[in-house]
Amino acid sequence: MNIKCPDPIDEEDQCIWRWTPKHNFELKSAYSTMVGSLWAPKQPIWIIIWSLKVPQRVRLFLWIAYQQKLMTNGERCCRHFSSSPRCSDCSSYTETVIHALRDCNVTHRLWLQILPATLTRHFFSMNLHTWFSCNLSTNFLHPVLKLSWNILFASLTWQLWKRRNNFVFNNISSSETDTINHGITWAKYYYGITCKGTIGGLIRDDNGVWLIGFAKVIGHSSSLQAELWATLEGMKLAWEQGYPRVVVQSNCKQAVELIRSLDLSTFSLVRAINRLRHLNWLTEIVWIPRSKPTCRCLSKDS
Ligand SMILES: [Zn+2]
């Protein structure tokens, strides 16, 4: 869905370098491509965690948890940071990683609410390492939530740890339902961004008044491709609406630079955008840093 249809007036096919986002050759990318498959990490879990489709902070959390380096009460006590190794939730056991994330009565109840029947048999009896590697490499869809189990598992363990920290350090307790709902919501988000990319935008007049909006599903996509798609679709819409002067604002510097560069781009999307710009109207492409408000409309006319 994210590949633009061929256009009879477009360029002939040409060779491109597929391993960089801009399709330009870089020695670094050639090296990574050649040796990448030869990297043989000693632990398979390394690849399982670091290729999981979740944000980097969640991967980092999973990696630290797997290495048993989370600052649980047990760990803090060993390092003389606290006087008691007991779990703050149940006060009955030493708080280890597996206790905090699975075996404490609160977390145990929570997992039981969401665990698919096929996984319940061994889920609570595995040791920490097997527990992580099995669940993080299980990517079947949850029968009710229709989410990949490994993403849901990662999201829930992350939320359980955040819940525990909020309780221990901020004295704020969250209900089990809230924790589950947070975990599911974030998992849906992580899963959604890896499965179906969507783009959208809106057109405003020079007073910032909303004129028209658009949205489109573009399938698997990089962020650069998504930005280029959004620019093309937005400009097509503006042209169809008959606006004589249009300023396109994007917070993707790479996309703006690609469109502005006069070289014949290897991106068919960039070529299509530039063909559109050569029609009988005035267009300008402006980069808006993400940190600044994007409500300023620079066009004199809409
Ligand atoms: Zn406990």
Side-chain angles (χ1 to χ4, degrees):
M1 287 167 88
N2 75 29
I3 296 171
K4 192 182 159 296
C5 292
D7 193 325
I9 57 166
D10 203 358
E11 293 296 308
E12 289 289 312
D13 284 351
Q14 55 178 306
C15 288
I16 57 160
W17 184 251
R18 63 176 284 196
W19 292 281
T20 52
K22 282 190 180 178
H23 297 168
N24 52 335
F25 175 78
E26 282 173 9
L27 196 60
K28 184 182 166 189
S29 71
Y31 179 78
S32 309
T33 307
M34 288 168 71
V35 303
S37 58
L38 302 176
W39 290 340
K42 286 178 187 153
Q43 304 173 34
I45 188 75
W46 197 91
I47 291 174
I48 294 173
I49 289 180
W50 295 103
S51 59
L52 202 64
K53 305 287 185 197
V54 294
Q56 190 74 349
R57 64 178 179 279
V58 181
R59 292 188 199 128
L60 193 64
F61 157 75
L62 294 169
W63 182 247
I64 293 172
Y66 180 85
Q67 302 290 339
Q68 304 195 60
K69 297 283 165 59
L70 283 184
M71 280 294 142
T72 56
N73 286 346
E75 194 66 28
R76 288 169 75 214
C77 192
C78 281
R79 297 174 191 219
H80 306 290
F81 292 164
S82 78
S83 53
S84 168
R86 300 253 167 197
C87 166
S88 318
D89 249 327
C90 64
S91 316
S92 311
Y93 298 92
T94 296
E95 192 192 43
T96 56
V97 174
I98 196 75
H99 180 85
L101 299 179
R102 187 191 70 185
D103 294 341
C104 186
N105 48 22
V106 180
T107 46
H108 189 99
R109 273 202 308 272
L110 196 140
W111 282 117
L112 282 177
Q113 286 186 48
I114 203 153
L115 211 54
T118 44
L119 292 181
T120 34
R121 194 163 163 223
H122 300 295
F123 189 85
F124 295 103
S125 56
M126 296 177 204
N127 66 31
L128 179 87
H129 284 173
T130 321
W131 188 63
F132 266 104
S133 48
C134 278
N135 285 290
L136 291 174
S137 51
T138 305
N139 58 1
F140 77 86
L141 286 190
H142 189 282
V144 178
L145 300 165
K146 305 295 177 204
L147 290 166
S148 183
W149 174 253
N150 50 1
I151 292 179
L152 190 57
F153 174 84
S155 177
L156 274 168
T157 44
W158 169 233
Q159 289 302 325
L160 281 169
W161 183 244
K162 285 175 73 164
R163 175 195 165 278
R164 176 262 181 210
N165 288 341
N166 229 0
F167 179 63
V168 174
F169 299 112
N170 302 326
N171 211 17
I172 299 171
S173 49
S174 330
S175 70
E176 288 166 35
T177 317
D178 276 359
T179 310
I180 292 182
N181 286 341
H182 276 130
I184 294 172
T185 308
W186 279 109
K188 279 183 180 166
Y189 175 71
Y190 305 149
Y191 190 59
I193 53 175
T194 59
C195 281
K196 45 179 194 285
T198 52
I199 53 147
L202 59 94
I203 301 175
R204 288 177 298 216
D205 68 10
D206 51 334
N207 294 316
V209 177
W210 189 90
L211 296 171
I212 193 167
F214 62 95
K216 182 179 175 174
V217 177
I218 55 164
H220 286 268
S221 196
S222 69
S223 56
L224 177 62
Q225 267 182 316
E227 286 289 338
L228 293 172
W229 265 118
T231 307
L232 179 65
E233 291 297 321
M235 287 183 75
K236 271 159 79 176
L237 184 64
W239 173 255
E240 282 160 17
Q241 296 290 314
Y243 302 132
R245 296 174 60 161
V246 170
V247 176
V248 179
Q249 299 180 324
S250 167
N251 57 22
C252 177
K253 202 171 188 178
Q254 211 178 10
V256 171
E257 282 171 359
L258 270 175
I259 297 167
R260 280 181 181 166
S261 70
L262 296 171
D263 306 336
L264 200 55
S265 177
T266 53
F267 281 88
S268 58
L269 285 168
V270 174
R271 295 198 298 272
I273 291 166
N274 282 332
R275 277 201 299 279
L276 206 53
R277 295 188 71 193
H278 281 102
L279 298 177
N280 190 23
W281 61 339
L282 288 174
T283 61
E284 194 184 341
I285 310 285
V286 182
W287 174 63
I288 306 291
R290 208 178 277 266
S291 56
K292 289 188 179 173
T294 56
C295 56
R296 198 162 64 99
C297 190
L298 301 173
S299 61
K300 292 283 179 276
D301 297 309
S302 50

